[in-house]
Amino acid sequence: MHTTPHPPTITTVAVPPGSAIASALPGAYFADSYETTDPDPATSALQAWLSTVAQVPGWTNRLMALRNRLVRLAGLKDLGALGGDAAHPLRDAASYRVGDRVGIFRIRHLADDEVVMGQDDRHLDVQVSLTKRQPPEGPPRVALSTVVHVHNTLGRVYMALVVPFHRRIVRTLLARYAAR
């Protein structure tokens, strides 16, 4: 008998306490975090991120391309593709350092168990973290957290428009990573 594997469970959680990204929470306009079972606990957080964005669905890339075209009209940054592009291709995890660009983000914190990446613009500052942890009981976990600080009305409008897409993208990325 052939059985279909169950999709990975993605859980909404608090930004992991003690994580580097948790220090960005004070004053945040928006923060969320999703967690699932880590299919490859021996890899670094950065390698997990690279594996995750290497599997970006086509619809996500199309949304990013649309986002980039629209925000250029408002004088904001065209970030390129989430998983890298010709101008910023993904590299081997060991070659990255703090300050390097990984797809649309720059690395701000780099440790084996957490990578924090961010992108600042005049309307908002975004930080994303992939954190790996081993709870006292149960399987290893991986969390994808986002913290956003807005600077003005444009930032609030932007967030109102992108949050529904953000949540779907993050959950999809985590599910694809966990199902590897």
Side-chain angles (χ1 to χ4, degrees):
M1 179 193 310
H2 176 63
T3 59
T4 304
H6 296 293
T9 302
I10 309 298
T11 309
T12 303
V13 296
V15 170
S19 63
I21 198 168
S23 67
L25 285 170
Y29 177 82
F30 173 85
D32 68 0
S33 188
Y34 298 92
E35 185 177 75
T36 192
T37 302
D38 188 348
D40 197 358
T43 64
S44 70
L46 178 56
Q47 184 57 59
W49 174 256
L50 294 171
S51 296
T52 300
V53 295
Q55 303 178 62
V56 172
W59 61 266
T60 301
N61 287 329
R62 289 188 296 277
L63 281 174
M64 281 300 298
L66 176 62
R67 175 246 176 242
N68 288 330
R69 282 194 302 277
L70 294 174
V71 300
R72 276 195 310 260
L73 299 174
L76 303 176
K77 293 178 185 174
D78 176 337
L79 299 175
L82 184 61
D85 52 30
H88 302 94
L90 298 178
R91 308 186 315 252
D92 178 74
S95 72
Y96 285 99
R97 302 289 177 263
V98 171
D100 288 350
R101 185 169 165 160
V102 180
I104 66 173
F105 300 112
R106 290 210 179 270
I107 297 174
R108 296 191 172 162
H109 170 84
L110 186 56
D112 283 342
D113 63 346
E114 183 181 16
V115 59
V116 178
M117 299 155 293
Q119 180 63 52
D120 298 344
D121 210 332
R122 66 177 195 211
H123 65 305
L124 54 77
D125 299 339
V126 176
Q127 291 192 71
V128 174
S129 164
L130 189 141
T131 306
K132 298 174 81 112
R133 66 182 186 85
Q134 175 62 61
E137 293 183 17
R141 309 293 290 168
V142 60
L144 195 51
S145 307
T146 305
V147 177
V148 179
H149 290 262
V150 299
H151 302 306
N152 53 37
T153 302
L154 178 58
R156 287 185 288 283
V157 169
Y158 180 86
M159 289 302 296
L161 295 172
V162 302
V163 163
F165 298 105
H166 160 81
R167 289 185 173 132
R168 174 125 188 247
I169 290 167
V170 170
R171 294 174 75 86
T172 300
L173 291 177
L174 265 183
R176 284 177 168 231
Y177 176 72
R180 297 181 328 121

